[in-house]
Amino acid sequence: MLEIRNLHVELEEGGKPILKGLDLTVEAGRVHAIMGPNGSGKSTLSYVLAGREGYVVTQGSARLDGEDILAMEPEERAAAGLFLAFQYPVEIPGVGNMTFLRTALNAQRKARGEEEISSGDFLRLVREKARALNIDAEMLKRPINVGFSGGEKKRNEILQMAVLEPRMCILDETDSGLDVDAMRLVADGVNALRDAGRAFLVITHYQRLLDHIVPDVVHIMADGRIVRSGGPDLALEVETNGYAGILGAGAAA
Ligand code: ADP
Ligand code: MG
Ligand code: MG
């Protein structure tokens, strides 16, 4: 589903190389985790895939179902089925959550040549998804993210994911750290949305999220590349030996 080949990315300002020949293949129906020390380029990878400005791809490719996503506008990427959780972490005063969600859904439909969803159908859809994920529909009436707790923001992101039904979901947990409840919430949401036609890339610095979202494949990223891949046990190895231990072992092997 997602195929990244020899991806090289540098910062637009200053030209510092961040990704240095990254290879990654994520198959449909699977959950891949990327772990790695701080500063290894994990967030940069998710930003580049989502089309955030400020990064220059100097070499390599990223394809979603064979289509060159790096050549697409961010909205086209979303229409192609790519979703970056936490891509809308901003507070948008005055824009209701429902309005935002409906606008996003309709933009996606339009890009796919589909008709806009009616307000009745949209309401039904959101209520159904919210119910399935145990999300309080009251939250939906509030301006997006304004005054949301960390847990509510996560809940909202999971709901966005459920409504937009992306096929390739990228979650960057960043290094800010989720509390246990927020982590559970994200994990339950992801697990509920696991599906044979959908793939996840879960980016996390810490092993603990992977206690709840058990990945099929774990990759270790260091200095802009994937340096080791393995099964879920690899995450436990990180927990036991730290990145220094893992990367040392990788170099020796
Ligand atoms: P990770 O998510 O693995 O912690 P990042 O992708 O956030 O890593 O960062 C990789 C490297 O790129 C770090 O050295 C970071 O300081 C640098 N970097 C990323 N984005 C920027 C930016 N916009 N300006 C300056 N440095 C950046
Ligand atoms: Mg970091
Ligand atoms: Mg990061």
Side-chain angles (χ1 to χ4, degrees):
M1 178 175 285
L2 178 67
E3 261 205 297
I4 303 175
R5 288 286 163 266
N6 191 34
L7 188 63
H8 289 254
V9 171
E10 55 186 46
L11 292 178
E12 194 167 52
E13 246 186 81
K16 181 185 170 190
I18 310 290
L19 301 185
K20 305 174 183 174
L22 185 134
D23 290 294
L24 177 69
T25 303
V26 181
E27 310 83 4
R30 310 256 270 171
V31 176
H32 285 234
I34 294 187
M35 305 180 71
N38 238 321
S40 52
K42 304 183 299 295
S43 292
T44 299
L45 173 64
S46 63
Y47 297 153
V48 167
L49 292 176
R52 186 182 281 204
E53 290 180 2
Y55 302 92
V56 181
V57 176
T58 54
Q59 263 192 76
S61 62
R63 297 182 177 278
L64 187 66
D65 299 319
E67 286 197 68
D68 178 6
I69 48 175
L70 300 177
M72 298 179 190
E73 295 300 322
E75 315 80 71
E76 295 174 321
R77 298 178 198 211
L82 187 72
F83 178 87
L84 178 67
F86 320 150
Q87 66 185 319
Y88 312 113
V90 289
E91 299 191 353
I92 313 180
V95 176
N97 213 3
M98 289 290 261
T99 306
F100 171 81
L101 207 49
R102 193 172 162 202
T103 304
L105 182 62
N106 278 329
Q108 186 176 17
R109 288 185 166 225
K110 194 176 164 203
R112 289 175 179 166
E114 296 166 9
E115 272 181 40
E116 289 202 350
I117 191 167
S118 73
S119 44
D121 285 348
F122 175 72
L123 264 171
R124 270 188 289 280
L125 175 72
V126 170
R127 290 215 177 105
E128 176 200 311
K129 301 285 184 185
R131 198 176 317 119
L133 292 165
N134 272 318
I135 292 174
D136 183 359
E138 271 307 297
M139 188 187 78
L140 298 170
K141 296 180 185 153
R142 289 161 50 186
I144 185 159
N145 284 346
V146 174
F148 278 17
S149 69
E152 285 171 332
K153 282 186 186 170
K154 296 293 160 210
R155 224 177 263 277
N156 201 29
E157 284 149 1
I158 296 295
L159 182 65
Q160 285 175 11
M161 205 152 73
V163 169
L164 296 175
E165 300 192 312
R167 298 192 321 109
M168 181 73 236
C169 306
I170 301 174
L171 293 95
D172 185 357
E173 284 308 324
T174 70
D175 304 323
S176 56
L178 295 179
D179 65 30
V180 175
D181 291 341
M183 198 158 56
R184 255 256 119 81
L185 220 144
V186 168
D188 289 349
V190 167
N191 289 331
L193 295 173
R194 276 175 114 146
D195 179 281
R198 180 174 290 140
F200 290 87
L201 188 57
V202 179
I203 300 175
T204 182
H205 182 72
Y206 300 106
Q207 183 270 336
R208 46 185 201 158
L209 179 66
L210 305 180
D211 284 338
H212 305 291
I213 304 174
V214 179
D216 298 296
V217 183
V218 174
H219 306 277
I220 308 289
M221 187 164 170
D223 196 22
R225 284 185 204 94
I226 303 291
V227 294
R228 256 189 87 178
S229 301
D233 289 355
L234 189 51
L236 301 173
E237 215 181 307
V238 168
E239 183 76 349
T240 311
N241 300 333
Y243 287 114
I246 292 268
L247 297 173

